[in-house]
Amino acid sequence: MNMGRVVAWVSRHKPLPAQIRYLKRKLGNDVNVVQIPKTFTDVKEIYEDVVSAGADVAVVVLPLSMIACLVEKYKDVVWLMAEMEPVHDSCPGVNCPYFDPDRDVILPGVVIRHMRFKKFVRVKEVRVVKEDW
């Protein structure tokens, strides 16, 4: 029995319905999204968990330094990030009248951020350009 293509979802947060639909549009309706909600200490562990899940595509919500290492070292996996855009300023949070549970997240904090899923992008390279300060 064909289980379809496996996508590893490396995040403590579950994917939004719009994100699952996007992956199905790109990879087929039988795509199987496997969440890996751990806190990682090194990229080798992330890679091993992704491969153990049977995935060759992974959506990652990680620090950029970790994503940079993954992209550089492990080229047999397609590394994806969700592109999110702000919906508006001064979000009231949970009771926001503009909140769409299909594609939005509310990020609490000193400033409440209301973000909407736009698309996935493939991470091919992460560069940090530095200069003395």
Side-chain angles (χ1 to χ4, degrees):
M1 182 173 160
N2 182 9
M3 294 297 290
R5 189 140 186 208
V6 176
V7 174
W9 188 270
V10 184
S11 174
R12 290 187 308 266
H13 308 285
K14 292 186 182 301
L16 295 165
Q19 292 171 322
I20 296 290
R21 280 196 312 278
Y22 191 99
L23 291 170
K24 286 183 176 191
R25 260 195 324 275
K26 293 296 261 184
L27 301 172
N29 280 329
D30 59 348
V31 72
N32 182 22
V33 178
V34 176
Q35 186 176 10
I36 305 172
K38 294 169 38 178
T39 299
F40 294 95
T41 55
D42 74 11
V43 293
K44 185 175 186 234
E45 182 185 5
I46 298 166
Y47 175 74
E48 288 172 350
D49 282 8
V50 166
V51 171
S52 292
D56 63 348
V57 175
V59 176
V60 290
V61 180
L62 297 165
L64 277 178
S65 59
M66 292 181 104
I67 294 171
C69 289
L70 288 167
V71 169
E72 177 67 27
K73 289 183 180 182
Y74 304 108
K75 300 194 182 291
D76 57 328
V77 173
V78 174
W79 302 102
L80 301 176
M81 290 176 59
E83 197 169 281
M84 307 288 284
E85 57 189 3
V87 176
H88 57 93
D89 294 330
S90 305
C91 183
V94 190
N95 299 318
C96 179
Y98 303 108
F99 182 74
D100 176 358
D102 187 62
R103 55 195 178 128
D104 292 2
V105 293
I106 302 284
L107 303 171
V110 175
V111 174
I112 298 170
R113 295 185 301 155
H114 181 168
M115 305 296 287
R116 179 162 290 157
F117 173 68
K118 187 174 174 185
K119 65 182 177 179
F120 286 112
V121 293
R122 180 176 185 174
V123 182
K124 297 189 85 165
E125 178 184 25
V126 176
R127 291 178 15 147
V128 176
V129 179
K130 302 186 289 185
E131 69 179 17
D132 285 340
W133 180 66

